[in-house]
Amino acid sequence: MSIWVLCEARAGGYRPATLELLSQARRLAAAAGGPVVAVAVGDDAGAAQALEGAAHRVVTVQGGHLSPYAADPWVGALGDVLAAEAPRLVLFGEGTRSRELLPRLAARLGAAAFTNALGLEWDGGFLLTRPVYGGKAYQTIRCGEGTCLAAFRPNSFDGGAAPVPETAFGEVQAAAVPNRVEVLEQLPRESRRVPLTEASQVVTGGRGLRAPENLALLEDLADALGGAVGVSRAVVDAGWADHAIQVGKSGKTVSPALYVVAGVSGAVHHTMGMDTAKVVVAINTDPKAPIFAYADYGVVGDALQVLPALTAAVRKTAG
Amino acid sequence: MKIAVLVKEVPDLEALVKVAEGGASVEVEKKRCLSFFDEIAVEAALRAKAARGGSVVAISAGAGTGVEAVRRALAMGADGALLVDDPALGGADSLAVARALAALCRREGFDLVLAGRQATDDEAGLIGPMVAELLGLPCVIGVTALELEDGAARVSRETDRGTEVLRTPLPALLTAEKGLAEPRVPQVMGLMKAMRAQPPKVTLAELGLEAPAPTPVAGYRGPAKRPPVKLLEGEPATVAAELVKSLREEARVL
Ligand SMILES: Cc1cc2nc3c(=O)[nH]c(=O)nc-3n(C[C@H](O)[C@H](O)[C@H](O)COP(=O)(O)OP(=O)(O)OC[C@H]3O[C@@H](n4cnc5c(N)ncnc54)[C@H](O)[C@@H]3O)c2cc1C
Ligand SMILES: Nc1ncnc2c1ncn2[C@@H]1O[C@H](COP(=O)(O)O)[C@@H](O)[C@H]1O
């Protein structure tokens, strides 16, 4: 009854989302019995030694056609490996890759598939929790006997499960699969920050920030916290920021440990994208703003004054 | 150019959702609409048709649902609509829905299939790429720009890592992200005509498919309630210091 985790490399190690899934997999495997298997493909296998202790087995999938990443060859390679091993669960961290690979692998394997999940427990079977109706309810699903592929929002699990005493490393050579989609241009996003959807601290601003230059106040606080910046749709519609950092129904869903939200009224379209944040701090001049109903701490005041004060206070305690 | 758009009928974003006592089921207010990203996909399909000629067909699958979704697409200007309507699709999992849609697409034959990036209810983002895989089509998800060439499509998308411009041969399946196209507001005449449309329906058996088992749902719960907000007021510097203290010592997130 093995639990597999697709491991995505980042900055010489692995994505925090990968590490927390491995941690949860070890926790569940201890109860359910059966090994945790870490699988890393192509360039992501380069750092595989870092997975010592994180899983009972590390499987690296190799083949010249697997780097750089492209969906067709990866689906082919992972499809073959998973079909041969028939794991019970395969866990992915939510992201562009999981969104591209997981459904196609599920279709190929005839496996159950769930995305956007937040919880995974064991009570003699695996129970998976995911939001439905845009987060207005949560559904728990009993995973069946067949293979189940599931993608989880980053920051869903605690990273601290005990390491395993021994890790076996193995390599698989993937059969070549042609890539049908040609890359014409790639413009990497210039950012010194963690991606918005993975950050454990997110600072979001809305129309209440009044002018585009005031978005710098969000950047300053995000820098002090080591987090990422988000905005409301009103800010995107005004042309102050790119849709890539919009939080909400028609933008990104975030689930950080700390969500600071300033000058955002708290429309349901916005809160649907942040409601699973652990701790929410809202800053708004209007004490009746709906956002306060979604917050743990609220500051009634001018974001243009409160944000810099908060940045200074965070820097003071950090320094 | 034959274009299909996969359209899902979902509860309106404002629809009330209530989890039943004990969490065995959930009750959803019957306010239904075409899913947000699917409306963008319909618009992109109509523009592709305007540029290259051909036809746009809206396709939806469900158990007695889907008519509202395809009617909206018809009102926007789609040429035709098809429904897979089967009681066994109620509570079916994504793969079963994808198999139904893929079977219908295979029967009809399309040069381009468009879907939404994700549906606004389950936010799963599963159906589009599943249908692509079942049909053996190349797939690009989260498309923000589309330009058709002879036998190919040039598309842009945003990934975790930045922006990409890609070219895929046709036929292909693309999923629509916000920014791809601004959906038009249907004309009154179009709306009236669409309201009377009775799109042809097929069952799973007619597509040669077996009835799937329902998703094994163990239960539901409502969103976790936050404790009442702790409101702070006063001098920004004082409030900020107080807040940081609480975030460190009480909430333990700093
Ligand atoms: C289909 C659909 C999808 C949508 N998707 C999204 C989405 O993904 N994300 C999203 O965010 N929205 C989305 N929206 C829009 C959403 O409904 C709201 O219109 C939007 O979130 C409002 O943005 P805002 O809170 O920044 O602006 P406003 O609603 O204008 O709120 C501004 C707030 O700032 C406060 N304020 C003013 N001055 C200050 C100050 N100096 N300091 C502090 N506070 C101040 C005001 O009291 C007010 O509460 C969507 C809407 C629809 C219909
Ligand atoms: N029942 C359905 N009928 C037609 N298209 C669907 C259906 N369910 C999902 N889709 C399409 O697949 C996309 C992603 O849906 P989902 O996987 O539910 O997030 C939607 O935006 C639609 O384009």
Side-chain angles (χ1 to χ4, degrees):
Chain A
M1 197 172 339
S2 58
I3 306 175
W4 287 53
V5 176
L6 179 68
C7 300
E8 289 185 62
R10 170 119 358 121
Y14 284 88
R15 249 181 97 179
T18 293
L19 301 177
E20 66 172 79
L21 286 174
L22 285 164
S23 165
Q24 183 69 2
R26 292 196 298 277
R27 230 173 255 133
L28 294 168
V36 175
V37 183
V39 57
V41 183
D43 287 340
D44 284 354
Q49 286 307 323
L51 297 170
E52 177 86 56
H56 300 93
R57 238 174 99 200
V58 173
V59 176
T60 55
V61 185
Q62 309 281 0
H65 64 298
L66 296 173
S67 357
Y69 167 85
D72 286 340
W74 276 51
V75 169
L78 278 167
D80 287 348
V81 172
L82 297 176
E85 302 256 2
R88 183 72 175 272
L89 286 175
V90 187
L91 313 183
F92 298 68
E94 275 282 351
T96 337
R97 285 195 185 169
S98 73
R99 287 274 158 158
E100 190 153 67
L101 299 172
L102 188 154
R104 291 181 55 185
L105 287 167
R108 184 167 284 214
L109 299 167
F114 300 99
T115 55
N116 210 15
L118 294 163
L120 183 64
E121 302 300 330
W122 166 264
D123 73 343
F126 289 107
L127 289 169
L128 177 147
T129 304
R130 61 166 184 171
V132 287
Y133 305 113
K136 290 181 188 168
Y138 292 81
Q139 186 185 51
T140 301
I141 289 156
R142 188 165 283 288
C143 303
E145 298 294 317
T147 299
C148 175
L149 312 185
F152 293 83
R153 286 190 194 163
N155 305 314
S156 291
F157 303 109
D158 228 336
V164 301
E166 222 172 313
T167 303
F169 289 82
E171 195 181 298
V172 176
Q173 280 297 325
V177 171
N179 178 26
R180 293 168 293 182
V181 178
E182 180 191 356
V183 179
L184 302 177
E185 270 174 64
Q186 246 166 348
L187 305 161
R189 188 169 303 115
E190 295 287 334
S191 180
R192 53 208 152 83
R193 291 215 180 78
V194 279
L196 177 59
T197 48
E198 324 228 327
S200 28
Q201 291 86 19
V202 173
V203 183
T204 291
R207 185 153 39 201
L209 290 183
R210 304 256 157 99
E213 56 272 20
N214 293 332
L215 297 188
L217 301 176
L218 306 174
E219 306 268 341
D220 292 344
L221 180 55
D223 280 341
L225 292 167
V229 170
V231 293
S232 73
R233 170 151 159 195
V235 165
V236 175
D237 287 348
W240 300 354
D242 198 79
H243 176 249
I245 59 164
Q246 177 184 313
V247 174
K249 192 76 214 171
S250 56
K252 300 271 189 311
T253 301
V254 299
S255 204
L258 174 63
Y259 189 75
V260 180
V261 53
V264 173
S265 56
V268 61
H269 308 109
H270 183 82
T271 58
M272 279 173 165
M274 49 65 73
D275 201 20
T276 56
K278 294 207 174 56
V279 175
V280 176
V281 174
I283 304 164
N284 200 302
T285 41
D286 176 6
K288 295 205 179 63
I291 191 68
F292 287 127
Y294 298 89
D296 299 281
Y297 299 94
V299 181
V300 181
D302 183 353
L304 306 186
Q305 289 176 23
V306 177
L307 283 171
L310 196 51
T311 305
V314 169
R315 287 206 193 282
K316 205 163 129 202
T317 45
Chain B
M1 174 135 192
K2 251 183 110 176
I3 306 167
V5 193
L6 308 180
V7 293
K8 184 176 189 183
E9 190 178 301
V10 294
D12 187 282
L13 291 178
E14 319 286 342
L16 296 175
V17 172
K18 209 172 136 232
V19 175
E21 280 278 319
S25 64
V26 39
E27 205 180 301
V28 185
E29 191 186 356
K30 285 215 169 30
K31 268 190 189 168
R32 302 180 67 83
C33 66
L34 173 57
S35 186
F36 179 82
F37 295 101
D38 302 4
E39 203 164 295
I40 297 173
V42 171
E43 180 62 38
L46 294 172
R47 289 188 196 183
K49 177 192 157 185
R52 312 286 293 193
S55 62
V56 174
V57 181
I59 299 179
S60 193
T65 61
V67 184
E68 291 315 316
V70 297
R71 281 184 177 155
R72 180 78 187 181
L74 287 168
M76 288 174 70
D79 301 285
L82 294 169
L83 293 173
V84 187
D85 187 6
D86 199 302
L89 287 174
D93 70 3
S94 299
L95 190 50
V97 174
R99 282 181 175 139
L101 293 167
L104 187 55
C105 287
R106 192 178 295 116
R107 192 185 84 182
E108 299 292 311
F110 293 103
D111 304 299
L112 177 62
V113 183
L114 294 172
R117 164 166 77 90
Q118 61 184 32
T120 51
D121 55 353
D122 57 25
E123 302 186 315
L126 288 167
I127 302 287
M130 279 180 166
V131 170
E133 191 66 24
L134 294 167
L135 294 172
L137 297 181
C139 175
V140 184
I141 61 169
V143 169
T144 53
L146 163 64
E147 207 181 301
L148 291 166
E149 302 170 343
D150 288 328
R154 191 187 160 96
V155 300
S156 309
R157 69 162 175 189
E158 292 285 331
T159 73
D160 299 342
R161 293 161 174 81
T163 308
E164 289 180 343
V165 183
L166 309 167
R167 179 186 287 124
T168 172
L170 296 178
L173 187 144
L174 310 175
T175 74
E177 168 65 295
K178 191 184 165 209
L180 174 59
E182 192 57 44
R184 69 193 63 187
V185 179
Q187 308 273 302
V188 178
M189 279 295 286
L191 277 171
M192 306 245 289
K193 216 175 117 204
M195 242 157 50
R196 291 190 301 269
Q198 295 295 342
K201 293 178 180 176
V202 293
T203 61
L204 292 178
E206 283 166 332
L207 291 169
L209 296 171
E210 280 172 31
T215 306
V217 176
Y220 294 89
R221 62 174 171 84
K225 287 254 184 309
R226 283 181 201 281
V229 60
K230 291 187 183 149
L231 279 187
L232 307 170
E233 260 170 288
E235 265 311 296
T238 323
V239 168
E242 205 181 316
L243 184 58
V244 167
K245 188 161 183 282
S246 299
L247 291 176
R248 280 173 76 95
E249 291 167 16
E250 196 176 57
R252 295 175 183 278
V253 287
L254 281 187

